[in-house]
C-alpha cells in the first residue's frame, strides 16, 4: 500500500500555496506540522481530490487522485466538517452512508460499529446540536470511516478540544493507523509528538523536514538554551529571540529560548523538543 505525491504544486495567481511536494506514504500515522498558512490544508485538499494540483501527480497504488477508485479508498475529515444540528448521530451517519453508496443493511452495521468505536453508541439517538466539541469531532472521525478507507486524512481534528478529549482522540487515531495510512494535520505540537511515526514539517508551501521525532529534533540540536537572568536582561533577550518558556524564579527570570548562537554568557545548552523546533521555525509566522 503506497500513496505517492510527485512534485505536487498549487498556485493561486502569483501565490504558491504548495511548492513541488514529493512524498511517499505507507501504513501508519503521519503528522503534518506547520503554522496556519503553511500550506497544510491546500495539500490535504489536493490529496482528497477537492482541489486539482497546478502540476504534479497524486496516486494510491498507481491509481490517480481523480479516479473514482481512489475516492473509494479515501476518508476525509475537514477542519470544519458539515453536519445537520437537528439530525441524531445515527441519522447523520446513515445519511452520509447513503451519499457514499453503502447498501442499507451495511450502512446500519457500519453506523453501529463506528459509533461504538468512537464511544458515541449511547448518544446515537441524540441530536448533534446537543453534542460537545469533542463529541462532534468524534462523530466527524466516524463519518470519515464509513467506507473503511485505506487513506484517512484529518485536518486539525483536535482543535478546540479540552486535554482529556485530545488524549482520547489521539489514542483513537493511533489505533486507526495500525492498518491504514493516516495523515493528521495540526499546529498542536503534542498531538504529533505522541502518535506520529513520521513527522512532516511545512513552511511557506514547502516541505522543510520529514522523519521520525528523533530525526526531526536533531536538526535543532545546539540551538536551544536556558538561562537565569535579572528582569531587565531577560526583557532584552525576549525582544531578540523566540522564547519558548519564561518562569519567575524568586527575583530572576528563567528563560528557555532558541538561538543559532549562545544568547548570553550564563546560557547553557538544553535538550531540544518538538515544541522547540516549532518555535524555531514558526515564531515569526502570524496566525490567522
Amino acid at each position: 500500500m503506497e500513496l505517492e505525491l510527485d512534485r505536487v504544486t498549487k498556485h493561486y495567481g502569483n501565490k504558491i500555496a504548495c511548492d513541488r511536494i514529493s512524498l511517499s506514504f505507507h501504513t501508519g500515522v503521519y503528522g503534518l506540522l506547520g503554522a496556519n498558512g503553511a500550506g497544510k490544508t491546500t495539500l490535504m485538499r489536493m490529496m482528497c481530490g477537492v482541489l486539482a494540483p497546478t502540476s504534479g501527480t497524486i496516486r494510491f497504488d498507481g491509481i490517480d487522485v481523480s479516479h473514482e477508485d481512489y475516492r473509494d479508498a479515501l476518508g476525509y475529515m475537514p477542519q470544519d466538517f458539515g453536519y445537520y444540528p437537528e439530525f441524531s448521530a445515527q441519522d447523520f451517519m446513515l445519511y452520509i452512508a447513503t451519499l457514499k453508496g453503502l447498501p442499507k443493511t451495511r450502512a446500519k452495521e457500519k453506523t453501529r460499529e463506528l459509533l461504538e468505536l468512537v464511544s458515541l453508541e449511547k448518544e446515537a439517538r441524540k441530536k448533534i446540536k446537543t453534542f460537545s466539541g469533542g463529541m462532534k469531532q468524534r462523530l466527524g472521525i466516524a463519518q470519515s470511516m464509513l467506507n473503511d478507507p485505506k487513506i484517512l486524512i484529518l485536518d486539525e481534528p483536535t482543535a478546540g478540544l479540552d486535554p482529556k478529549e485530545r488524549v482520547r482522540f489521539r489514542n483513537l487515531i493511533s489505533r486507526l493507523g495500525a492498518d491504514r495510512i493516516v495523515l493528521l494535520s495540526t499546529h498542536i505540537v503534542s498531538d504529533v509528538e505522541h502518535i506520529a511515526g513520521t513527522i512532516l514539517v511545512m513552511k511557506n508551501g514547502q516541505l522543510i523536514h520529514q522523519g521520525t521525532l528523533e530525526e526531526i529534533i536533531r536538526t535543532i540540536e545546539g540551538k536551544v538554551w536556558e538561562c537565569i537572568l535579572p528582569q531587565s536582561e531577560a526583557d532584552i533577550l525576549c525582544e531578540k529571540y523566540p522564547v519558548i518558556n519564561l518562569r519567575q524564579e524568586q527575583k530572576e527570570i528563567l528563560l528557555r529560548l532558541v538561538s543559532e548562537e549562545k544568547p548570553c554568557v550564563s546560557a547553557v545548552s538544553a535538550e531540544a523538543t518538538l515544541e522547540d523546533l516549532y518555535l524555531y521555525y514558526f515564531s515569526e509566522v502570524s496566525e490567522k
Side-chain angles (χ1 to χ4, degrees):
M1 184 163 58
E2 182 180 40
L3 174 59
E4 186 175 12
L5 282 65
D6 183 20
R7 293 167 291 180
V8 174
T9 300
K10 183 65 178 179
H11 291 182
Y12 293 106
N14 294 326
K15 177 180 170 62
I16 301 176
C18 287
D19 188 9
R20 294 168 293 177
I21 303 291
S22 292
L23 286 167
S24 182
F25 298 88
H26 300 88
T27 303
V29 178
Y30 294 77
L32 181 57
L33 191 63
N36 289 346
K40 305 189 306 295
T41 296
T42 296
L43 179 64
M44 298 176 97
R45 286 177 176 169
M46 289 191 290
M47 292 172 68
C48 293
V50 177
L51 290 176
T54 304
S55 61
T57 58
I58 301 171
R59 294 189 175 95
F60 176 62
D61 287 346
I63 302 168
D64 190 79
V65 66
S66 61
H67 199 280
E68 191 63 36
D69 288 346
Y70 180 101
R71 299 195 179 196
D72 287 344
L74 176 70
Y76 177 41
M77 179 182 168
Q79 186 170 354
D80 298 306
F81 80 94
Y83 63 88
Y84 296 98
E86 295 295 330
F87 275 32
S88 68
Q90 178 177 277
D91 289 343
F92 177 74
M93 290 287 287
L94 292 172
Y95 170 69
I96 298 297
T98 300
L99 295 181
K100 292 187 175 185
L102 271 68
K104 191 172 183 179
T105 301
R106 180 61 175 158
K108 288 182 177 179
E109 290 174 357
K110 289 298 291 183
T111 292
R112 184 169 56 253
E113 172 190 323
L114 290 169
L115 288 179
E116 184 176 346
L117 177 68
V118 299
S119 303
L120 287 176
E121 68 275 15
K122 294 180 180 178
E123 288 78 23
R125 297 186 182 277
K126 292 182 180 178
K127 291 185 178 182
I128 301 172
K129 69 179 182 181
T130 68
F131 283 11
S132 68
M135 292 165 70
K136 289 173 184 174
Q137 294 295 81
R138 281 185 274 143
L139 181 61
I141 276 275
Q143 64 83 26
S144 72
M145 293 287 295
L146 275 164
N147 58 329
D148 195 21
K150 293 298 180 186
I151 308 165
L152 184 59
I153 296 180
L154 309 171
D155 192 358
E156 299 282 0
T158 62
L161 303 188
D162 64 39
K164 184 178 178 180
E165 284 282 10
R166 292 224 331 267
V167 170
R168 176 188 285 182
F169 215 78
R170 288 201 305 252
N171 291 340
L172 172 59
I173 293 167
S174 187
R175 291 200 302 273
L176 294 175
D179 58 356
R180 56 177 54 82
I181 296 166
V182 178
L183 178 59
L184 164 68
S185 167
T186 185
H187 63 274
I188 301 173
V189 175
S190 59
D191 290 341
V192 170
E193 195 168 27
H194 283 94
I195 62 172
T198 301
I199 297 171
L200 313 168
V201 183
M202 282 190 74
K203 183 176 182 179
N204 298 330
Q206 295 185 324
L207 187 68
I208 60 173
H209 287 299
Q210 61 177 304
T212 64
L213 177 62
E214 293 75 18
E215 290 168 341
I216 292 290
I217 290 175
R218 202 175 299 143
T219 64
I220 61 162
E221 282 184 355
K223 298 175 182 177
V224 182
W225 307 87
E226 290 187 349
C227 49
I228 298 178
L229 298 165
Q231 181 73 59
S232 58
E233 293 181 37
D235 289 343
I236 293 171
L237 291 189
C238 288
E239 291 293 324
K240 292 178 64 176
Y241 303 104
V243 175
I244 298 156
N245 193 50
L246 182 154
R247 187 172 74 241
Q248 189 79 36
E249 293 280 336
Q250 296 180 347
K251 294 183 179 181
E252 294 184 305
I253 304 295
L254 172 63
L255 287 182
R256 182 182 179 93
L257 50 83
V258 288
S259 169
E260 297 282 348
E261 302 173 349
K262 189 173 182 176
C264 64
V265 175
S266 63
V268 294
S269 183
E271 185 177 348
T273 67
L274 190 60
E275 185 178 48
D276 298 331
L277 179 138
Y278 187 91
L279 266 294
Y280 178 74
Y281 284 110
F282 302 113
S283 60
E284 296 179 359
V285 177
S286 61
E287 300 285 0
K288 291 182 182 178

